[in-house]
Amino acid sequence: MRTEKGADEVSYSVGQVAGFGGVTVRTLHHYDAIGLLAPSERSHAGHRRYSDADLDRLQRILFYRELGFPLDEVAALLDDPDADPRAHLRRQHELLTARIEKLQKMAEAVEHAMEARRMGINLTPEERFEVFGDKDPDQYAEEAEARWGGTEAYAESQRRAARYTKDDWKRMQAEVDAWGERYAALVTAGEPATGEAAMDLAEEHRRHITTWFYDCPYEMHVSLAGMYVSDERFKAFYDSMGPGLAEHLRDAITANAARHTS
Amino acid sequence: MRTEKGADEVSYSVGQVAGFGGVTVRTLHHYDAIGLLAPSERSHAGHRRYSDADLDRLQRILFYRELGFPLDEVAALLDDPDADPRAHLRRQHELLTARIEKLQKMAEAVEHAMEARRMGINLTPEERFEVFGDKDPDQYAEEAEARWGGTEAYAESQRRAARYTKDDWKRMQAEVDAWGERYAALVTAGEPATGEAAMDLAEEHRRHITTWFYDCPYEMHVSLAGMYVSDERFKAFYDSMGPGLAEHLRDAITANAARHTS
DNA sequence: GATGGGTCCTCACGCCGCGTGAGGTGCAAG
DNA sequence: CTTGCACCTCACGCGGCGTGAGGACCCATC
């Protein structure tokens, strides 16, 4: 039977702690100097000795730092009297999921931009910066319209100037056109979107994107398909090939993805 | 029929551009000063006039900056002669998905830490900083073992010192114990993990976590269940209540999640 | 035509979060 | 006894801007 001897005295030197945390010794010196992380003890020779609790604190410091908090705010968070450790872990988890969501939105915006480029649609300035969610949408929208309005005309004027890529652009365009004709014929022939022919053309569409532009797995393809009907210009792009083509294609893409991932 | 008049001359002032990009005018001045983003023109009065291409460049600058690139590297990326715009979008998408993965791993590590805390298991220093994936696992592992080894003994010594929370900790522990007895009885009675009784206790388990520690949706609960069998100490924690309890519980949790989300 | 408000300009200094030496100390091994 | 290593304390510098100070321009209003 073990004796209940109380706290075991373990402590680490700056070098060890720096190793654990993946930071430099200088950083730890700095955190000590500004009072953010003062080692709970000093050795005989004046060397810093970090306790286990200090390590915990460092972990939190580095976590919040990684998420972009300035050090004084980090200190405020850590020295919060309601410093329940559970609360910290909970908050860390919340911050992480929030960041993940933000990045996923950015990724979607990038996909949107890639597709716009693929279709020769130029984006308005607002759309270009839509990637960064950090805008007051309300105040911003007002300002954008009121102060330097006329974006409609601008977008219209830019819509033609999009073919500034070189010569293989033509071959690519030819491929798109050929595919469009075949797909339009399929639609007018009354083929269902879940039919094999439609799914095959959907797959060809995906392959086209992958070979000419960027890798497009099925999941992403479905996401794009959603934009084809939700974004007015994407919809217009496909509907110009044939009436109702955008929706039809979306369903075909969805069905094609389902058949490949099942 | 529209005339092909060539490039439409649109340009924006610093204030407008700052508005679009969500940055300050000073930042644009700075980028001009260091040659990162020089406006393609100046007005009669010496005012900066940003073209549409400049906006594109700014968007990319801000994107890479957001992901933590220093400005000189950003410049290197943007002034890369192979500056195919497609390549940029592709790279942006790759960077984003990489970041998302990293954050998801961090989130998992946080969940791991939360569960460890819940079970009164103290983590080793290495595990504490496992959240940050930025460690050479090989070189690090060697160093950790060779230079300041003895972590096994350390972990052992810490395992008891984990109950440093106050008085309601006891009530919580009592709940855990009661639940454990009931679940053990269920297992010895031969109840299947997919049975209703097991699923009910799994749901109770989830509720316990949610009320005492952190919100635990079904998806996360399943993730935790995986750790109960993959992490040695978690497994030991549950198996100490009854033989084979960890696996049984994992299956019950999975089944319970399926029944609630279907 | 004078006055004001708004946006723009160019210095130039300062802050934060450290990196990077310079110069000195304590201790264990050769 | 010296060599080496990890530690110490200044202290300067750098990147990426924030924050004025002081002035020019433009348009509207009195």
Side-chain angles (χ1 to χ4, degrees):
Chain A
M1 188 180 175
R2 292 175 174 280
T3 60
E4 301 224 11
K5 261 225 313 223
D8 313 88
E9 317 252 334
V10 276
S11 72
Y12 311 89
S13 72
V14 273
Q16 295 177 29
V17 176
F20 285 141
V23 298
T24 68
V25 171
R26 169 68 179 126
T27 300
L28 294 177
H29 284 180
H30 184 58
Y31 291 171
D32 188 4
I34 65 175
L36 178 56
L37 177 64
S40 50
E41 219 167 341
R42 290 267 186 158
S43 85
H44 164 64
H47 293 188
R48 292 168 176 82
R49 304 262 55 180
Y50 291 85
S51 76
D52 211 55
D54 295 339
L55 276 193
D56 249 35
R57 186 174 173 91
L58 177 60
Q59 192 275 336
R60 281 171 199 161
I61 290 172
L62 294 182
F63 185 94
Y64 290 123
R65 185 189 73 163
E66 173 105 358
L67 292 194
F69 288 85
L71 294 188
D72 50 356
E73 286 186 27
V74 173
L77 283 177
L78 294 187
D79 297 339
D80 184 6
D82 317 352
D84 184 1
R86 302 184 221 164
H88 275 295
L89 287 171
R90 234 187 338 239
R91 174 162 43 194
Q92 289 182 345
H93 201 266
E94 285 166 13
L95 285 169
L96 282 175
T97 53
R99 282 285 274 217
I100 289 174
E101 268 184 44
K102 183 187 172 186
L103 288 180
Q104 277 170 343
K105 281 188 185 171
M106 287 179 71
E108 249 192 68
V110 169
E111 292 169 17
H112 192 276
M114 291 194 292
E115 278 300 278
R117 175 149 237 117
R118 193 172 73 79
M119 299 180 193
I121 297 172
N122 250 8
L123 299 172
T124 68
E126 287 94 338
E127 288 174 312
R128 285 212 168 89
F129 291 96
E130 185 170 87
V131 188
F132 312 105
D134 46 332
K135 52 182 47 158
D136 271 326
D138 33 351
Q139 184 222 347
Y140 181 77
E142 285 180 33
E143 282 204 31
E145 288 295 335
R147 282 181 61 198
W148 42 74
T151 51
E152 258 327 308
Y154 164 79
E156 174 57 43
S157 79
Q158 288 302 90
R159 213 153 283 163
R160 297 162 293 143
R163 44 175 132 65
Y164 50 79
T165 345
K166 350 211 162 135
D167 45 275
D168 48 14
W169 180 264
K170 286 184 187 173
R171 296 190 295 140
M172 198 275 294
Q173 277 290 26
E175 251 190 47
V176 171
D177 291 349
W179 175 89
E181 281 176 27
R182 285 192 288 148
Y183 202 99
L186 182 148
V187 173
T188 51
E191 283 272 357
T194 56
E196 198 150 323
M199 290 197 291
D200 285 350
L201 275 184
E203 177 65 13
E204 199 174 307
H205 176 269
R206 195 185 67 87
R207 292 258 171 84
H208 172 83
I209 295 177
T210 297
T211 59
W212 282 96
F213 293 94
Y214 45 87
D215 187 45
C216 178
Y218 290 101
E219 192 186 330
M220 185 168 160
H221 200 202
V222 172
S223 168
L224 295 182
M227 303 197 304
Y228 294 162
V229 304
S230 67
D231 185 293
E232 296 242 331
R233 286 158 308 174
F234 289 0
K235 186 160 170 6
F237 177 84
Y238 281 111
D239 280 348
S240 76
M241 298 176 181
L245 201 146
E247 269 98 350
H248 196 281
L249 175 59
R250 179 200 53 188
D251 296 342
I253 287 176
T254 309
N256 180 55
R259 115 175 126 167
H260 275 92
T261 57
S262 68
Chain B
M1 186 180 176
R2 290 175 176 277
T3 61
E4 302 223 7
K5 261 221 313 212
D8 315 86
E9 316 252 334
V10 276
S11 72
Y12 312 88
S13 72
V14 273
Q16 295 177 32
V17 175
F20 284 141
V23 298
T24 68
V25 171
R26 169 68 178 127
T27 299
L28 295 176
H29 284 180
H30 184 59
Y31 290 170
D32 189 3
I34 66 175
L36 178 56
L37 177 63
S40 50
E41 220 168 343
R42 290 266 187 159
S43 86
H44 164 64
H47 293 187
R48 293 170 176 81
R49 304 263 54 181
Y50 291 86
S51 77
D52 211 54
D54 295 338
L55 277 193
D56 250 33
R57 187 175 173 90
L58 177 59
Q59 193 276 333
R60 283 173 198 158
I61 291 172
L62 295 182
F63 185 93
Y64 289 123
R65 184 189 73 162
E66 174 106 359
L67 292 194
F69 287 84
L71 294 188
D72 50 356
E73 284 186 29
V74 173
L77 283 176
L78 294 186
D79 297 338
D80 184 7
D82 318 350
D84 183 2
R86 300 184 222 162
H88 276 294
L89 287 171
R90 228 180 350 230
R91 175 162 42 196
Q92 289 182 345
H93 200 267
E94 285 166 15
L95 286 169
L96 283 175
T97 53
R99 282 287 275 216
I100 289 174
E101 269 183 44
K102 184 186 170 187
L103 288 180
Q104 278 170 342
K105 281 187 187 171
M106 287 179 71
E108 250 192 68
V110 169
E111 292 169 17
H112 191 276
M114 290 194 294
E115 278 300 278
R117 173 151 237 115
R118 191 172 73 79
M119 300 180 192
I121 296 172
N122 249 9
L123 299 173
T124 68
E126 288 94 336
E127 289 174 311
R128 286 215 168 88
F129 291 96
E130 189 170 83
V131 189
F132 313 104
D134 48 330
K135 52 181 49 160
D136 272 325
D138 34 351
Q139 183 224 345
Y140 181 76
E142 285 180 37
E143 282 205 32
E145 288 295 335
R147 281 181 62 197
W148 41 75
T151 51
E152 256 329 304
Y154 165 77
E156 174 59 43
S157 78
Q158 288 302 90
R159 210 152 287 160
R160 295 164 292 144
R163 46 175 131 65
Y164 49 78
T165 344
K166 337 191 178 153
D167 45 277
D168 47 13
W169 180 264
K170 284 184 187 172
R171 295 190 295 142
M172 198 273 295
Q173 277 291 26
E175 252 190 47
V176 171
D177 291 350
W179 176 90
E181 281 176 26
R182 285 192 288 149
Y183 202 99
L186 182 150
V187 173
T188 50
E191 282 272 358
T194 57
E196 197 149 324
M199 291 197 292
D200 285 351
L201 274 185
E203 176 65 14
E204 198 174 308
H205 176 269
R206 195 185 68 86
R207 293 259 170 84
H208 173 83
I209 294 177
T210 297
T211 59
W212 282 97
F213 294 94
Y214 45 87
D215 188 46
C216 177
Y218 290 102
E219 191 185 331
M220 185 168 161
H221 201 204
V222 172
S223 167
L224 294 181
M227 303 196 303
Y228 294 163
V229 305
S230 67
D231 184 295
E232 296 243 330
R233 285 159 306 175
F234 290 0
K235 186 161 168 8
F237 177 83
Y238 282 110
D239 281 348
S240 76
M241 299 176 180
L245 200 146
E247 270 97 347
H248 196 281
L249 175 59
R250 179 200 53 190
D251 296 341
I253 287 175
T254 310
N256 180 56
R259 115 176 128 168
H260 275 93
T261 58
S262 70

